[in-house]
């Protein structure tokens, strides 16, 4: 998850929790207010009834007329029951059905004088009053329909406001964070465009002294230092490789002429040929290093071209055959290869030549019978080249470091080499999005598999 989304999500969650708490407090406060208001109306209604009983001369006859005249003050679905001191019902507002009541409530009034029950449906407010020297049990029940309706409407408004506010704050947080972090995104774009061949690119720096501009200034300083180091290394490698090529070429030419003389003893001739192979190896290594300084992993795809892998293999074999004339190659296209296979891939042929020159040269040096088998298989997804030779195999411990620089197996003892060949091979294949693996399918059998993605 990006930083912008993470910040926006954090703000949205924090706001949602805070706003949810505020909404809950508002809802509970209004519910308490509703209860208190309804209870107060109950109390006023009971006081109103008590006042009427105190002033009435004939309560039972005047009560129906009185309550009808004051119907505006009646609570919704209100029921009033009035009992005398003997707990006998002397008046009820219920006229169309049988009247029932809870006798335990009347007993409770003897102790508490006032009882209010908000958990019952309907709610009940009861009181024991002494009026004109006589005790009266007055029971009032009613539904707070109006208050509950307001409470339900408030809940609907609060939920709607909560949802809308959460969505709005989420959108605004994402938008605001996007604007706030836009300089950082621009910085990221600029940094991503910096490659080994574009180290001179500087990040634009604004006049403000905020953290992003400080970061941009620090990055520019780092780029300048890296460019100095990289350019020095690149110039040294290119200059050294270029300067070394000239004496190597002269040495190779002079050795060729020297070997043609017939006056040498067999021992001298063998030594000269070994020196010649070492010179060719040094020349190949120098050419490889010089080529690698010209490319990097980011820009190499811009110079890709269509390359036939079979042509690369045959050209590489011809180059190796000059140093190892006894080497024989068996070339085979696997039966598993699809009929419409073209044996082509996108790449740089000069670099791919180095890959197979090194692999064929390894086969020539480490093979017991100076014979190498090359098998090509092309599928819809991969182009695979297997280079197989017979000779001493590499242990599992050594296989893990086989493609590291300057690492050589025990089977390379008494054989000249730099330990850079397979490392260069792996690096070139990484530039092409390919990989190389080593296996030993059988005793005294070495197999290198180069796998290209199509």
């Amino acid at each position: 998850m990006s930083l912008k989304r993470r910040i926006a999500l954090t703000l949205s969650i924090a706001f949602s929790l805070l706003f949810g708490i505020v909404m809950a407090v508002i809802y509970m406060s209004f519910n308490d207010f509703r209860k208190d208001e309804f209870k107060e109306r109950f109390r006023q209604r009971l006081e109103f009834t008590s006042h009427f009983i105190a002033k009435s001369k004939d309560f039972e006859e005047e009560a129906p007329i009185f309550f009808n005249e004051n119907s505006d003050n009646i609570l919704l679905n209100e029921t009033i029951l009035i009992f005398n001191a003997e707990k006998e019902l002397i008046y009820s507002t219920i006229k169309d059905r049988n009247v029932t009541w809870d006798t335990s409530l009347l007993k409770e009034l003897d102790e508490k004088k006032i009882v209010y029950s908000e958990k019952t449906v309907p709610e009940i407010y009861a009181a024991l009053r002494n009026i004109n020297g006589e005790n009266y049990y007055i029971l009032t029940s009613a539904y707070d329909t109006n208050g509950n309706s307001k409470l339900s409407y408030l809940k609907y408004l609060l939920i709607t406001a909560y949802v809308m506010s959460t969505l709005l704050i989420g959108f605004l947080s994402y938008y605001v964070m996007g604007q706030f972090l836009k300089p950082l995104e621009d910085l990221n774009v600029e940094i991503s465009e910096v490659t080994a061949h574009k180290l001179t690119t500087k990040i634009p720096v604004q006049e403000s002294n905020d953290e992003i501009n400080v970061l941009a200034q620090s990055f520019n300083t780092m780029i300048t230092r890296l460019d100095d180091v990289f350019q020095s290394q690149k110039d040294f490698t290119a200059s050294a490789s270029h300067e070394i090529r000239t004496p190597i070429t002269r040495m190779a030419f002079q050795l060729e002429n020297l070997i043609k003389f017939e006056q040498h003893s067999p021992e001298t001739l063998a030594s000269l040929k070994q020196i010649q192979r070492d010179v060719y190896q040094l020349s190949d290594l120098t050419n490889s290093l010089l080529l690698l300084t010209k490319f990097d992993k980011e820009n190499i795809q811009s110079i890709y071209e269509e390359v036939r892998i079979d042509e690369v293999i045959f050209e590489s074999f011809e180059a190796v055959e000059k140093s190892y004339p006894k080497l024989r190659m068996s070339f085979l296209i696997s039966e598993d290869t699809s009929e419409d296979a073209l044996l082509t891939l996108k790449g740089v042929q000069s670099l791919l030549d180095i890959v197979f020159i090194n692999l064929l040269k390894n086969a020539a040096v480490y093979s017991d019978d100076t014979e190498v088998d090359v098998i090509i298989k092309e599928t819809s997804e991969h182009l695979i080249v297997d280079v197989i030779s017979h000779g001493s195999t590499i242990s599992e411990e050594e296989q893990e470091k086989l493609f590291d620089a300057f690492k050589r197996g025990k089977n390379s003892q008494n054989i000249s080499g730099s330990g850079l060949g397979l490392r260069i091979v792996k690096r070139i294949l990484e530039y092409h999005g390919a990989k190389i693996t080593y296996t030993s399918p059988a005793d005294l059998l070495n197999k290198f598999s180069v796998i290209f993605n199509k």
Side-chain angles (χ1 to χ4, degrees):
M1 184 182 294
S2 65
L3 179 62
K4 177 172 64 177
R5 292 182 179 179
R6 191 158 60 246
I7 294 177
L9 181 61
T10 302
L11 287 177
S12 299
I13 293 175
F15 175 82
S16 299
L17 292 176
L18 179 62
F19 196 60
I21 294 172
V22 172
M23 294 296 184
V25 171
I26 292 175
Y27 180 80
M28 289 186 292
S29 298
F30 183 81
N31 188 40
D32 292 339
F33 171 76
R34 176 198 67 80
K35 292 178 181 178
D36 292 341
E37 182 187 36
F38 192 61
K39 183 178 180 180
E40 178 62 20
R41 291 180 64 190
F42 259 134
R43 189 192 65 78
Q44 291 177 358
R45 187 63 175 164
L46 188 139
E47 292 296 333
F48 181 74
T49 302
S50 301
H51 183 70
F52 164 69
I53 294 173
K55 290 189 174 183
S56 175
K57 296 180 180 180
D58 191 347
F59 170 73
E60 295 184 8
E61 292 183 1
E62 296 179 1
I65 300 173
F66 175 79
F67 284 111
N68 286 334
E69 290 178 350
N70 295 276
S71 59
D72 292 341
N73 296 325
I74 296 177
L75 298 173
L76 188 62
N77 293 324
E78 180 187 68
T79 300
I80 299 177
L81 302 178
I82 302 176
F83 299 84
N84 58 19
E86 287 74 27
K87 299 178 181 178
E88 298 174 347
L89 180 66
I90 59 176
Y91 177 77
S92 170
T93 57
I94 301 175
K95 302 300 181 183
D96 55 349
R97 62 182 185 274
N98 294 330
V99 180
T100 59
W101 63 88
D102 186 1
T103 55
S104 61
L105 180 61
L106 299 179
K107 295 178 180 179
E108 188 177 356
L109 285 175
D110 290 333
E111 299 177 2
K112 298 182 178 180
K113 307 303 180 184
I114 295 177
V115 175
Y116 175 65
S117 176
E118 61 182 2
K119 295 181 180 180
T120 57
V121 180
E123 297 180 24
I124 298 174
Y125 191 95
L128 174 60
R129 293 295 174 89
N130 186 280
I131 303 174
N132 297 329
E134 295 186 13
N135 288 334
Y136 290 90
Y137 297 88
I138 304 174
L139 277 61
T140 306
S141 65
Y143 293 98
D144 189 14
T145 305
N146 187 40
N148 287 323
S149 176
K150 291 180 180 179
L151 187 65
S152 298
Y153 184 67
L154 176 64
K155 180 170 69 174
Y156 168 77
L157 287 179
L158 292 177
I159 292 175
T160 303
Y162 175 78
V163 173
M164 296 299 294
S165 300
T166 301
L167 294 176
L168 182 61
I169 196 65
F171 172 77
L172 291 177
S173 298
Y174 186 81
Y175 176 77
V176 171
M177 285 300 105
Q179 297 298 315
F180 180 75
L181 296 177
K182 190 175 185 304
L184 192 59
E185 292 181 353
D186 295 339
L187 179 63
N188 180 51
V189 172
E190 295 288 344
I191 292 175
S192 64
E193 293 179 355
V194 175
T195 65
H197 290 272
K198 290 180 61 178
L199 285 177
T200 55
T201 302
K202 295 296 182 65
I203 305 302
V205 178
Q206 306 296 329
E207 294 182 358
S208 62
N209 291 323
D210 58 22
E211 289 80 358
I212 295 178
N213 282 301
V214 172
L215 178 61
Q217 293 174 358
S218 301
F219 182 82
N220 286 338
T221 302
M222 180 189 69
I223 283 294
T224 301
R225 294 173 180 172
L226 285 177
D227 182 56
D228 292 340
V229 175
F230 180 79
Q231 198 61 42
S232 299
Q233 181 184 15
K234 186 178 178 181
D235 291 343
F236 172 79
T237 304
S239 300
S241 300
H242 185 271
E243 293 298 327
I244 292 173
R245 289 175 67 186
T246 302
I248 289 177
T249 304
R250 286 200 301 265
M251 290 168 60
F253 180 72
Q254 292 172 3
L255 282 169
E256 288 179 4
N257 292 333
L258 191 59
I259 290 173
K260 291 179 182 179
F261 294 151
E262 299 179 356
Q263 295 90 344
H264 305 299
S265 64
E267 294 81 4
T268 303
L269 184 61
S271 298
L272 289 174
K273 288 184 178 180
Q274 180 60 48
I275 295 173
Q276 185 185 44
R277 284 193 293 270
D278 292 341
V279 170
Y280 283 149
Q281 182 181 1
L282 184 58
S283 177
D284 291 340
L285 180 60
T286 304
N287 290 333
S288 300
L289 293 175
L290 190 58
L291 277 174
L292 287 175
T293 59
K294 296 180 180 179
F295 308 110
D296 62 48
K297 202 170 184 177
E298 287 77 14
N299 72 353
I300 194 172
Q301 293 184 0
S302 62
I303 57 172
Y304 274 179
E305 58 183 354
E306 287 284 344
V307 179
R308 284 190 61 90
I309 195 65
D310 52 343
E311 293 180 358
V312 171
I313 292 172
F314 282 111
E315 290 178 6
S316 301
F317 177 73
E318 290 178 2
V320 175
E321 195 177 21
K322 293 179 181 179
S323 302
Y324 302 93
K326 293 182 179 181
L327 181 65
R328 296 291 178 266
M329 181 179 71
S330 172
F331 181 82
L332 178 66
I333 297 178
S334 173
E335 295 178 356
D336 297 332
T337 299
S338 56
E339 296 180 356
D340 56 346
L342 300 177
L343 304 182
T344 60
L345 54 89
K346 293 284 187 179
V348 181
Q349 183 162 348
S350 58
L351 293 178
L352 294 175
D353 286 340
I354 296 174
V355 170
F356 290 100
I357 285 174
N358 277 282
L359 293 178
L360 293 173
K361 188 181 296 183
N362 276 357
V365 172
Y366 299 109
S367 175
D368 292 341
D369 53 7
T370 62
E371 183 175 343
V372 59
D373 297 327
V374 178
I375 303 174
I376 297 178
K377 181 174 72 173
E378 183 174 358
T379 64
S380 59
E381 298 180 353
H382 300 101
L383 178 59
I384 304 172
V385 182
D386 293 331
V387 180
I388 305 171
S389 62
H390 296 268
S392 300
T393 58
I394 302 172
S395 65
E396 293 184 1
E397 295 179 358
E398 293 175 335
Q399 289 179 25
E400 297 178 358
K401 300 180 180 180
L402 184 60
F403 299 99
D404 294 345
F406 306 110
K407 297 295 182 181
R408 307 185 70 201
K410 294 180 181 179
N411 62 345
S412 63
Q413 292 179 358
N414 302 321
I415 298 176
S416 61
S418 63
L420 289 173
L422 290 179
R423 175 57 183 168
I424 293 174
V425 166
K426 184 179 180 182
R427 185 176 177 186
I428 293 174
L429 291 176
E430 287 175 348
Y431 283 6
H432 289 78
K435 64 179 181 179
I436 182 172
T437 61
Y438 169 84
T439 56
S440 179
D443 291 339
L444 301 178
L445 194 65
N446 296 288
K447 177 182 176 182
F448 285 93
S449 298
V450 180
I451 305 170
F452 295 96
N453 295 319
K454 297 189 66 177

